[in-house]
Amino acid sequence: MDNSINTKCVQAGYTPGNGEPRQIPIVQSTTFKYDSSEEMGKLFDLEASGYFYTRLQNPTNDYVAAKIAALEGGTAAMLTSSGQAANFFALFNICQCGSHIVASSSIYGGTFNLISVTMAKMGIDVTFVSPDATDEELDAAFKENTRAVFGETIANPALTVLDIERFAAAAHRHNVPLVIDNTFATPINCRPIEWGADIVTHSTTKYMDGHGAAVGGAIVDSGNFDWMAHKELFPGLTEPDDSYHGITYAEKFGKEGAFITKCTAQMMRDLGCIQSPQNAFILNLGLESLHVRMPRHVENAQAVAEFLASNPAVASVSYPGLEGDKYHDRAVKYLNGCGGCGVVSFEVKGGREVAEKVMEKLKVFAIETHVADARSCCLNPATSTHRQMTDEQLEAAGIPAGLIRISCGLEDKADLIADLEQALA
Ligand SMILES: *Cc1c(COP(=O)(O)O)cnc(C)c1O
């Protein structure tokens, strides 16, 4: 019997045996003991599964990763130390020097930097496309060396909703996987795998933790992408790995297990970035109430967005839950008709200066480089998270300089509206 997603939030990933702890144990140990070197050697050869060093795997992390895999409807998952690490690992597990990525231009500033600056230094090229690109425009962005397509379900902070089905179809026409960052929607409001995504990533720092307590990330494999069907495009997965005695991941672990096994065995082994078991425990506390919290974040954001839309000091409001929003139709299709998250963007009349003044007057909303936790907060992307971007890049990403991004927490919506009302006045 398959439980509903609500029950999975509470119970998936860990089933205690008789007399075992009801809550997941925090295995606060760097290493694990074996009776013989031979037994431990099997783990190093990937001939047996088990634990030997927490940089690669830890039971606490694996319980939580299994829960996230269940929530997203994937076959395997892993935790990383941050969302940045999750997106880097997910892409670098597929690409190498000489590869090319097609990415939506409307994505988180940190990911934009990662792909356009840092991965470029590694010899990985990118073509950014509009999240509203047509099939023809998408097809034109692909090159012979394209190995992955990347986008965000709901972009941070532009709040564009990606046409996941269209992006998945384009990726698959060109025989490459679609990687979707589902941080803002969470699996409560969208499960990208159901729309054709092959790999799903998360900054668990946001709603999954939900309390602003622990930085973390996650990668989920749908198990649907057939690496062997396009063998020559993905040598890392389809040709022997000399650093593991010639194992071929796609052959040995199949469609369901190859991606996460390689990502753990190679990326984690060589690059680190494991989530601490302590943080994984905190993350799991957040996941236990994700299905209860998300509807309240959405309810508060919807009420705040409607208030802002009717306020004369406000030039424009973006929230996919608003009927007139540019992305409302996609919200109906992909987000069950709701706004999908607690984040709302609006532009005040008077630009950057007025935006800064309004933010200083807010009392319930705090100025923070954060979103998606229980406490409401606000930020001006142009002067903070996105300050590395040029005006043209900001424009292309849909983030004017006077934009304020607010994250509606779990407080009473009447208090949130009253706070904004006095600040705008
Ligand atoms: C915050 C965020 C990230 C980066 O995650 P960290 O945990 O801060 O490293 C990636 N993608 C999205 C959509 C985010 O909101």
Side-chain angles (χ1 to χ4, degrees), residues 152 193 246 263 280:
E152 294 175 5
I193 291 171
C263 207

Side-chain angles (χ1 to χ4, degrees), residues 58-247:
N58 174 285
T60 309
N61 292 26
D62 282 356
Y63 298 139
V64 182
K67 175 178 283 187
I68 294 172
L71 295 177
E72 287 288 5
T75 54
M78 66 196 280
L79 302 186
T80 58
S81 56
S82 68
Q84 286 300 108
N87 282 325
F88 174 56
F89 278 24
L91 291 169
F92 201 55
N93 203 37
I94 306 168
C95 301
Q96 59 186 39
C97 181
S99 301
H100 171 255
I101 295 168
V102 173
S104 165
S105 60
S106 185
I107 53 174
Y108 176 64
T111 313
F112 185 90
N113 250 4
L114 166 69
I115 296 176
S116 65
V117 179
T118 298
M119 290 181 75
K121 289 178 189 163
M122 300 170 162
I124 297 168
D125 193 18
V126 61
T127 299
F128 288 106
V129 293
S130 163
D132 306 324
T134 62
D135 287 343
E136 292 70 33
E137 287 164 339
L138 281 172
D139 283 337
F142 285 81
K143 300 183 183 180
E144 220 167 276
N145 56 341
T146 304
R147 295 293 176 267
V149 179
F150 180 85
E152 294 175 5
T153 308
I154 306 174
N156 175 8
L159 302 178
T160 50
V161 180
L162 196 74
D163 196 344
I164 301 176
E165 223 172 16
R166 182 190 298 278
F167 271 63
H172 298 159
R173 269 200 301 284
H174 296 270
N175 303 325
V176 303
L178 175 65
V179 180
I180 290 289
D181 181 332
N182 195 35
T183 297
F184 267 24
T186 83
I188 299 304
N189 289 325
C190 180
R191 285 175 299 283
I193 291 171
E194 293 174 1
W195 300 102
D198 300 288
I199 309 291
V200 175
T201 59
H202 281 277
S203 166
T204 62
T205 316
K206 313 294 165 51
Y207 289 114
M208 283 194 165
D209 164 29
H211 297 80
V215 172
I219 307 171
V220 183
D221 182 10
S222 68
N224 291 333
F225 196 81
D226 189 352
W227 308 100
M228 289 310 273
H230 316 290
K231 202 169 178 300
E232 67 293 346
L233 302 187
F234 310 103
L237 284 140
T238 63
E239 285 175 16
D241 179 357
D242 290 337
S243 70
Y244 277 106
H245 306 303
I247 278 178

Side-chain angles (χ1 to χ4, degrees), residues 35 52 152 156 158 190 209 226 230 252 282 332 387 390:
D35 289 339
F52 57 93
E152 294 175 5
N156 175 8
C190 180
D209 164 29
D226 189 352
H230 316 290
K252 190 165 173 69
I282 293 169
V332 168
R387 61 187 301 143
T390 64

Side-chain angles (χ1 to χ4, degrees), residues 65 321 349:
K349 289 178 186 162

Side-chain angles (χ1 to χ4, degrees), residues 189-393:
N189 289 325
C190 180
R191 285 175 299 283
I193 291 171
E194 293 174 1
W195 300 102
D198 300 288
I199 309 291
V200 175
T201 59
H202 281 277
S203 166
T204 62
T205 316
K206 313 294 165 51
Y207 289 114
M208 283 194 165
D209 164 29
H211 297 80
V215 172
I219 307 171
V220 183
D221 182 10
S222 68
N224 291 333
F225 196 81
D226 189 352
W227 308 100
M228 289 310 273
H230 316 290
K231 202 169 178 300
E232 67 293 346
L233 302 187
F234 310 103
L237 284 140
T238 63
E239 285 175 16
D241 179 357
D242 290 337
S243 70
Y244 277 106
H245 306 303
I247 278 178
T248 298
Y249 295 98
E251 277 175 356
K252 190 165 173 69
F253 302 100
K255 281 199 311 189
E256 294 75 19
F259 189 85
I260 294 295
T261 304
K262 174 179 181 282
C263 207
T264 300
Q266 280 184 351
M267 301 287 123
M268 274 301 175
R269 180 196 60 187
D270 298 348
L271 300 170
C273 308
I274 193 75
Q275 189 166 130
S276 81
Q278 188 78 45
N279 276 8
F281 178 83
I282 293 169
L283 165 59
N284 188 55
L285 291 179
L287 290 171
E288 287 181 1
S289 63
L290 186 67
H291 59 302
V292 181
R293 290 184 288 109
M294 286 313 291
R296 177 63 85 90
H297 281 293
V298 167
E299 180 190 329
N300 283 359
Q302 184 73 30
V304 162
E306 284 169 12
F307 160 76
L308 289 170
S310 68
N311 189 287
V314 173
S316 67
V317 184
S318 291
Y319 187 65
L322 288 178
E323 289 236 349
D325 192 86
K326 186 176 174 198
Y327 294 100
H328 188 65
D329 287 350
R330 287 192 202 152
V332 168
K333 175 169 177 178
Y334 293 107
L335 308 171
N336 292 323
C338 78
C341 65
V343 182
V344 177
S345 294
F346 66 101
E347 202 185 346
V348 283
K349 289 178 186 162
R352 192 181 298 231
E353 287 96 290
V354 175
E356 289 192 310
K357 265 194 195 139
V358 168
M359 282 173 41
E360 279 164 27
K361 292 275 183 213
L362 288 167
K363 296 187 179 74
V364 182
F365 288 87
I367 298 175
E368 282 173 32
T369 307
H370 201 240
V371 286
D373 79 53
R375 287 158 296 264
S376 292
C377 59
C378 63
L379 178 124
N380 174 231
T383 54
S384 52
T385 47
H386 288 60
R387 61 187 301 143
Q388 77 287 349
M389 289 169 75
T390 64
D391 278 3
E392 292 77 56
Q393 288 172 331

